[in-house]
Amino acid sequence: MLRRRFIGAIPVLLGVSFIVFFLMHLAPGDPVNLLLGDAATEAEIERTRREWGLDRPLVVQYWEFIRRAVRGDFGMSLRYGVPVSTLIFERLPATLELAFASLFVAIIISLPIGVYSAIKHNSFWDHSGMTLAMIGVSLPNFWLGIMLIFFLGGQLNLLPVAGRIEYGIEIKPITHLYLVDSLLTGNLAALWSALKHLLMPAVTLGTSLAAIVTRIARSSVLEVIRQDYITTARAKGLSEQAVIWKHTLRNAMITIITILGLQLGALLAGSVITETVFSWPGIGGLLIQAISTRDYKLVQGVIFFFAIMYFIVNLIVDLLYMWVDPRIRL
Amino acid sequence: MRTEKRRINRREFLKQTTAVGLGALAVPALARLGWSASKDRATILQSVAADSLNPYAHSASPTYGIWQHIFDPLVEVDYASKEFYGVLAESWEFQGQKWVFRLKKGVRFHDGSPFTSKDVIYSITRMREDKRSLQRENFREVTEMRAPDDHTVIITTEKPMAVLLDRLHNRFMISKATADKYGDQADAHSIGTGPYKFVSFVRDGNMVMTRNEDYWGPKPDIKEIIYKKVGEEAARVAGLLAGQGDVINNVSVEESSRLSQHPRVRIEKVAGLRMYFLAMNAAMKPFDNKLVRQAISYSVDPQAIIKYIYDGNGYLMDGPVASNVIGANPKLKRYPFEPKKAKELLAKAGYPGGLEVKLYFSPDRYPKANEICQVIADQLLQSGIKADLVPQQFVIFWGREGVNGGKLPFYYVGRPAVDADTVYDQYFRSGVTKRVNYKNPEFDRLIDEEQRTGDQKKRAALLQEAGRILMEDAALVPLYNLAEIYGVARNVIWKARPDEKILAADMKIRT
């Protein structure tokens, strides 16, 4: 199965690169003028365009891109002047950290509420749970983020308003994920600082995610709980705990994992708004900057990278299905 | 029975999580004192940061401000007297096609090596040849550089180039020895002659510098400087109020009144160098007609914009450049707001029934451009000119299909300048850019002459005359320059500069 999946990914990646390349180059706007700013005189524009190879025919530029990309070389970013892969790997840890932290926040909020709401279907708890979910899904990320910054940052000075870690705290880089590295090296000061910086962005992102997952969790548990095999399980005298944990949840998990997988894919593609609000140096912000400055190679590199990420996440989700539901393994 | 047990669990759970949550909130509250300004460290929350450690790969004033801690330029501007003064240059002499710079003696780089004329030549060569450099254009007319001794540099230009001082402003001197030693990796070892030494850099994160204890000039007061990129204004303001930052830039008019009432912070304001104007493309109808351009000049009243949109935080321009710019002509008067007169001129120009035009602008680049252009459109309407508003993303607005391709007939634009020459050269001199396609041989002649005139007073007089011509031709509709607004912790003594640079060497912290 794995081999088939990997071979199948090749045309997808090629297609993505082709579409992105031509869309970017056909979109109006010009990176060179923007880069040169006020000093963009005719002569200087021409010279820069030549130096960056932007005067060559598009097909030639695309071929050059593919030829290098297969070797893992995505070229240099026009704006930053460093290799695209360097920029992506600089930003990747921040994105991973935020993605998993918000997923964690989402799971610890949504699963208990969703499952409990389903079990106590139509009760006071159910209604309050669903109201909460409704509120969560309706709060725009930028608003929630700014409100958190305003109260927890500006007014109460409990949490830092921007960045990933306080200056002066050294972490020995192992995975470049600050939480993981500080745990591995037993550096509690770093762990504390990284947690403080991560809290507001993770809650901002996690809240809207939790709202969606709560509703999905509730409905899939509800669906399973009405199945005959649950009645059978109860009839044969299983404890309520066993019915919920072993029979209901495990079967309801398929839908929940699917939605979590999809959301994780989106989170790994960076969450532009949250990253911008909190000056979180992740990949989403990098992509937006790249698009708005028409930094062609950077856009191509980042999107290509996203395509690979989605592929990996989908693969993991499929493997998880097999683990959760033995019937799929057959 | 089982249900009962679960309920207790939930309560227990809630109790415990609340306790953990409160505990988590309480601890940083105790640590908050550690974040506020100390005498030893200033944290500057700025909306932009350096994209890389290449000191020449950028062209934005706030970024120049960051680099100016580590590196010194040859010359700097005294905004009060509108004159250049030497930083690393002791003196200079303009000799027609030659500039002779004498360098200060006894200046040393952070690694202890002496600063000499070889470093100047190396730095300028790199600015000209580095593919990443955004500062090449400044030296397009330089043909040769020589160092007869360690403290003299002779720069020869194609033709006499009096504006070289302006071109050298914000051009930082780096160490040739470092470049020789580290090759490609030299930028990672930022070694300059400046008042602060480089400590660390995280792209889009913190840039940290520490005081150069052996600085050749007056030693700065603050020991450590952290420049932190915080793009979002709300976060910068919150950070300042909480004491996580000591100075923030780009404060909006709305936030400025709130901040000025806060006990811990104050507002610092100065007339900025970015001047806003309406540009008209003289190669396109109807703007090829001087009468139409004059009619438009009579139809715009920037005072209303300053008063109602900027709450008074702007300065009316009476000529093509702001009054704080070298070469500004104090005798010029702008066209008054007289829609009646405008209508007469339009009729004379062959548009008795009025005009329809498109006004382009870029809201993602210029603050409040949407509101401003709506006001302008409304004012134009009073003269019978119907303006369609066309907002564009800056990358499109500024590109080949926009301003720099000469494709926009009429647009709202802002441009910072220390010396009127940069604006006149880039916008109005024939053949330099396609931005407005203004052609006037007399104006071109004045700019040629001004660029050749070493006597700064005479040069300023030529620039003033050139400015008068632009006004008479109504080549542009000057609007205003805006206030640069900063939020500053009350115990930080610092005065804002017009050029958007936040220099910690000028700062003191009261304890």
Side-chain angles (χ1 to χ4, degrees):
Chain A
M1 184 204 101
L2 277 181
R3 206 180 66 193
R4 213 177 55 225
R5 291 291 290 267
F6 277 108
I7 294 174
I10 294 171
V12 173
L13 290 180
L14 262 179
V16 166
S17 76
F18 181 83
I19 293 172
V20 171
F21 182 90
F22 284 96
L23 272 185
M24 274 312 285
H25 279 82
L26 294 176
D30 178 19
V32 173
N33 279 297
L34 195 74
L35 184 74
L36 296 176
D38 287 309
T41 58
E42 285 296 289
E44 189 61 12
I45 292 168
E46 282 316 310
R47 176 170 152 179
T48 309
R49 191 162 278 139
R50 218 172 33 245
E51 278 174 355
W52 287 89
L54 292 167
D55 57 339
R56 290 178 302 168
L58 276 193
V59 182
V60 176
Q61 288 187 47
Y62 180 64
W63 172 240
E64 185 69 8
F65 167 69
I66 290 293
R67 211 171 55 89
R68 286 164 174 263
V70 291
R71 284 177 291 165
D73 172 8
F74 292 97
M76 297 277 258
S77 151
L78 182 66
R79 181 187 143 114
Y80 289 96
V82 289
V84 167
S85 47
T86 307
L87 289 172
I88 293 177
F89 285 108
E90 265 177 18
R91 298 250 184 166
L92 182 63
T95 297
L96 285 178
E97 201 161 61
L98 181 57
F100 285 110
S102 6
L103 200 67
F104 177 73
V105 170
I107 290 174
I108 57 163
I109 299 178
S110 63
L111 284 193
I113 297 183
V115 173
Y116 197 73
S117 296
I119 298 170
K120 301 280 165 190
H121 184 46
N122 271 339
S123 69
F124 167 75
W125 293 107
D126 182 18
H127 292 308
S128 352
M130 286 309 100
T131 312
L132 265 181
M134 196 53 138
I135 294 172
V137 90
S138 322
L139 288 180
N141 270 351
F142 69 88
W143 182 84
L144 183 61
I146 286 178
M147 284 300 125
L148 287 176
I149 286 181
F150 182 78
F151 286 109
L152 297 181
Q155 298 293 315
L156 300 172
N157 195 13
L158 293 175
L159 294 170
V161 296
R164 273 183 82 195
I165 197 150
E166 219 166 309
Y167 167 69
I169 293 179
E170 300 274 335
I171 298 187
K172 203 172 137 213
I174 301 169
T175 60
H176 292 274
L177 301 170
Y178 288 172
L179 284 187
V180 178
D181 287 354
S182 51
L183 276 175
L184 285 179
T185 54
N187 186 344
L188 288 181
L191 179 69
W192 182 236
S193 175
L195 264 178
K196 278 193 306 194
H197 282 80
L198 190 57
L199 195 59
M200 285 201 286
V203 167
T204 305
L205 258 183
T207 310
S208 52
L209 194 58
I212 303 166
V213 181
T214 307
R215 296 191 71 96
I216 301 281
R218 174 178 174 273
S219 64
S220 59
V221 169
L222 265 183
E223 202 183 302
V224 173
I225 221 162
R226 289 180 189 137
Q227 299 287 332
D228 291 342
Y229 57 79
I230 300 292
T231 320
T232 313
R234 286 208 174 105
K236 71 182 181 187
L238 275 187
S239 71
E240 190 63 20
Q241 292 222 357
V243 170
I244 298 292
W245 287 102
K246 276 182 100 170
H247 294 270
T248 315
L249 264 187
R250 189 145 185 193
N251 282 298
M253 256 351 230
I254 292 276
T255 331
I256 299 174
I257 287 177
T258 311
I259 195 84
L260 284 177
L262 281 174
Q263 298 291 344
L264 181 64
L267 283 175
L268 290 179
S271 29
V272 177
I273 295 171
T274 311
E275 283 181 11
T276 311
V277 169
F278 291 98
S279 307
W280 188 263
I283 286 187
L286 185 69
L287 178 66
I288 284 302
Q289 220 167 45
I291 293 175
S292 65
T293 54
R294 301 289 188 272
D295 194 337
Y296 298 132
K297 289 196 173 136
L298 189 53
V299 175
Q300 284 154 22
V302 173
I303 300 271
F304 202 77
F305 177 77
F306 285 174
I308 294 174
M309 286 297 234
Y310 265 97
F311 170 74
I312 295 174
V313 169
N314 273 319
L315 196 67
I316 294 175
V317 167
D318 284 353
L319 293 176
L320 274 178
Y321 284 164
M322 287 196 235
W323 175 70
V324 173
D325 189 347
R327 286 169 301 181
I328 297 176
R329 261 176 269 176
L330 297 174
Chain B
M1 182 69 194
R2 205 178 293 128
T3 335
E4 190 62 23
K5 198 174 158 201
R6 256 213 313 273
R7 244 181 230 154
I8 293 166
N9 273 348
R10 195 183 66 238
R11 273 187 198 152
E12 232 7 77
F13 173 77
L14 281 176
K15 246 193 241 165
Q16 280 169 15
T17 43
T18 316
V20 170
L22 286 178
L25 291 177
V27 177
L30 294 175
R32 61 193 287 180
L33 287 174
W35 284 347
S36 32
S38 76
K39 199 175 153 47
D40 289 336
R41 179 194 280 185
T43 303
I44 295 155
L45 309 182
Q46 196 167 262
S47 51
V48 293
D51 289 335
S52 74
L53 280 175
N54 182 336
Y56 303 132
H58 57 89
S59 61
S61 312
T63 329
Y64 290 138
I66 299 178
W67 289 117
Q68 198 155 339
H69 290 83
I70 302 172
F71 304 105
D72 286 314
L74 287 179
V75 295
E76 177 55 286
V77 184
D78 176 2
Y79 291 100
S81 66
K82 291 190 201 165
E83 274 171 10
F84 290 97
Y85 64 90
V87 180
L88 288 176
E90 180 73 48
S91 65
W92 50 84
E93 214 177 303
F94 179 60
Q95 307 173 341
Q97 273 165 277
K98 280 199 176 81
W99 273 94
V100 181
F101 287 91
R102 299 202 198 288
L103 307 179
K104 277 192 183 142
K105 291 183 180 152
V107 174
R108 287 186 177 274
F109 281 104
H110 298 156
D111 62 355
S113 61
F115 164 74
T116 69
S117 44
K118 288 190 190 67
D119 299 302
V120 176
I121 294 182
Y122 173 75
S123 302
I124 298 179
T125 308
R126 175 149 176 219
M127 286 179 230
R128 298 178 72 189
E129 289 175 2
D130 184 348
K131 185 174 149 190
R132 286 278 300 141
S133 165
L134 295 182
Q135 301 169 9
R136 299 189 289 203
E137 198 43 22
N138 296 290
F139 304 102
R140 65 176 186 231
E141 284 158 11
V142 172
T143 52
E144 196 199 7
M145 285 182 289
R146 280 193 308 119
D149 61 54
D150 272 358
H151 295 97
T152 311
V153 179
I154 301 176
I155 300 177
T156 313
T157 51
E158 228 169 79
K159 47 189 182 186
M161 189 184 167
V163 289
L164 189 69
L165 286 186
D166 177 56
R167 307 290 195 264
L168 278 171
H169 157 243
N170 284 333
R171 309 289 159 251
F172 300 113
M173 296 298 129
I174 58 177
S175 150
K176 180 172 186 298
T178 308
D180 290 344
K181 190 168 162 194
Y182 297 105
D184 285 354
Q185 299 303 309
D187 285 345
H189 306 266
S190 272
I191 290 178
T193 55
Y196 284 88
K197 289 183 184 179
F198 173 75
V199 174
S200 67
F201 166 75
V202 177
R203 210 187 311 279
D204 292 311
N206 292 340
M207 173 117 165
V208 184
M209 293 165 285
T210 182
R211 183 168 61 199
N212 174 8
E213 302 294 344
D214 305 315
Y215 187 51
W216 58 271
K219 207 161 89 175
D221 203 51
I222 301 169
K223 204 168 162 211
E224 191 174 48
I225 302 297
I226 301 174
Y227 263 99
K228 190 169 190 166
K229 181 182 172 181
V230 182
E232 186 68 30
E233 191 199 359
R236 282 197 302 277
V237 169
L240 176 70
L241 293 181
Q244 296 174 23
D246 301 303
V247 180
I248 62 172
N249 78 335
N250 262 0
V251 176
S252 64
V253 173
E254 291 77 7
E255 287 288 5
S256 125
S257 49
R258 187 162 80 90
L259 285 184
S260 58
Q261 288 156 11
H262 195 278
R264 214 192 87 78
V265 303
R266 66 186 171 92
I267 283 295
E268 180 67 39
K269 244 187 244 184
V270 67
L273 293 174
R274 188 175 283 276
M275 330 177 269
Y276 292 85
F277 56 94
L278 296 176
M280 295 171 281
N281 193 331
M284 291 167 116
K285 278 198 177 311
F287 302 102
D288 54 342
N289 190 332
K290 181 173 154 182
L291 294 172
V292 171
R293 296 198 302 263
Q294 285 176 331
I296 289 181
S297 301
Y298 276 115
S299 312
V300 178
D301 175 20
Q303 199 68 61
I305 297 171
I306 295 174
K307 187 169 169 196
Y308 296 109
I309 296 184
Y310 283 108
D311 211 9
N313 292 292
Y315 311 86
L316 193 68
M317 277 162 64
D318 261 323
V321 291
S323 59
N324 57 359
V325 169
I326 296 174
N329 186 340
K331 285 188 210 125
L332 290 180
K333 276 271 155 257
R334 60 176 300 115
Y335 291 79
F337 180 59
E338 284 176 17
K340 224 176 103 192
K341 180 106 188 203
K343 277 186 184 162
E344 285 168 26
L345 284 166
L346 281 181
K348 227 161 114 188
Y351 301 97
L355 254 185
E356 277 195 28
V357 294
K358 280 186 174 156
L359 175 58
Y360 291 79
F361 60 98
S362 179
D364 61 324
R365 175 71 169 201
Y366 305 117
K368 300 184 187 289
N370 269 316
E371 294 92 321
I372 289 161
C373 289
Q374 271 167 24
V375 173
I376 292 173
D378 194 52
Q379 293 173 348
L380 288 171
L381 201 58
Q382 296 181 43
S383 310
I385 302 167
K386 190 176 170 298
D388 269 342
L389 298 184
V390 191
Q392 285 185 333
Q393 232 193 330
F394 190 67
V395 67
I396 300 171
F397 175 82
W398 195 247
R400 272 179 292 179
E401 297 306 310
V403 172
N404 280 299
K407 302 284 168 65
L408 303 191
F410 185 38
Y411 55 94
Y412 173 76
V413 71
R415 205 281 177 223
V418 173
D419 190 306
D421 171 79
T422 44
V423 187
Y424 293 174
D425 188 66
Q426 285 170 12
Y427 277 83
F428 301 103
R429 191 188 197 179
S430 313
V432 179
T433 65
K434 294 180 187 162
R435 291 176 202 169
V436 291
N437 294 306
Y438 171 74
K439 285 194 176 59
N440 183 329
E442 175 60 11
F443 177 83
D444 288 347
R445 191 193 62 73
L446 283 167
I447 297 302
D448 275 347
E449 198 182 331
E450 158 265 313
Q451 294 192 345
R452 271 185 274 129
T453 306
D455 181 329
Q456 293 297 318
K457 287 220 165 59
K458 275 191 197 149
R459 197 174 79 82
L462 290 164
L463 282 169
Q464 289 177 359
E465 175 58 12
R468 192 195 59 75
I469 293 180
L470 288 182
M471 285 310 277
E472 192 191 294
D473 270 349
L476 74 163
V477 185
L479 300 170
Y480 40 73
N481 54 322
L482 297 175
E484 294 295 334
I485 309 179
Y486 298 85
V488 188
R490 275 198 194 272
N491 62 343
V492 175
I493 306 166
W494 174 71
K495 258 193 93 49
R497 301 163 57 92
D499 58 12
E500 302 175 40
K501 295 194 273 198
I502 303 174
L503 300 181
D506 306 340
M507 234 176 247
K508 280 188 166 52
I509 296 180
R510 254 197 324 257
T511 41

